[in-house]
Each structure stands twice: as structure tokens, then as C-alpha cells.
Amino acid sequence: DLVLDAVARLEPRWGNELASVEFAVQEVPEAEELDSDAGPLPLARVVPGSPDPRDPRRPASATRIVVYRRPLMARADDNDELGDLIFDVVVEEFAQVLGLDPESVDPGYRPGGFD
């Protein structure tokens, strides 16, 4: 629900762009997604879409933003902080999809607000 709330906050400004992105929640990252240097667990990732081989102008699969439930929950002290963290993570990943800075996607974005 918090991911949907984050997307809803972005829709007034980015509705057309959000229409081509899917959002998913996964408990934890897959083992192959983790760095071998024991760095911090990722909070989300972008899975690029792929073009339709019959018509490269159309996507065969949409770009997907996957957020990881347990790493996010571990970094937040309460539900309000979790909602803020999820919003910032969605903004960061969506900005990556658009090739923009997160501050351009949402002027209220707080870089590193949860370190």
C-alpha cells in the first residue's frame, strides 16, 4: 500500500511516464543481486523493459521498479518513517528510469535522509 501511495503522490506531475512503469514488492533481493563485498542490502532495483521483437517501437515488457520490503522495514523506526523512505526510494528509482536527478522528479526529495 505504501508503494501505491508513493506512486499516487507522483501521478499529478508524472502520470504519462508512470503509465509505462510497473511496480512490484519483493521480500528481499535475490542472491545474484547482492554484492559480494557485504555492502548494504539494496532497497530497490529497476528491471528495464524490453522491446517487442516484432515492433521495436513497442515494449514487449514494461520497465519494472521492484522495492524490497524487509530491507526497507529494517531501516525505518515507524510507519511514518517507512512511508517517507519508500517514497524517497520510489523517487530515486523512477528518476533513474527517466534519466533525471531525483530532485527533478520531486523537489521535496531528501538525498541520504535515511542513512
Side-chain angles (χ1 to χ4, degrees):
D1 289 342
L2 293 174
V3 173
L4 293 176
D5 291 345
V7 173
R9 285 175 59 185
L10 295 173
E11 279 184 327
R13 183 171 180 194
W14 299 102
N16 290 337
E17 294 82 355
L18 284 165
S20 63
V21 178
E22 294 178 354
F23 291 85
V25 177
Q26 188 174 314
E27 285 298 311
V28 295
E30 301 290 336
E32 61 269 6
E33 297 172 51
L34 302 175
D35 289 334
S36 60
D37 64 1
L41 284 175
L43 302 178
R45 72 180 168 120
V46 172
V47 180
S50 61
D52 186 335
R54 296 169 295 200
D55 184 356
R57 295 171 294 170
R58 297 183 55 189
S61 64
T63 297
R64 177 178 283 181
I65 294 174
V66 181
V67 298
Y68 301 121
R69 181 187 322 267
R70 293 174 85 190
L72 286 162
M73 290 179 74
R75 299 234 357 233
D77 291 329
D78 57 36
N79 279 341
D80 289 337
E81 190 172 299
L82 180 60
D84 291 341
L85 176 58
I86 289 172
F87 181 72
D88 287 344
V89 167
V90 167
V91 167
E92 289 171 2
E93 300 302 314
F94 185 56
Q96 180 182 336
V97 168
L98 297 176
L100 298 172
D101 291 326
E103 295 86 357
S104 298
V105 172
D106 182 71
Y109 169 77
R110 300 175 318 275
F114 293 91
D115 288 336

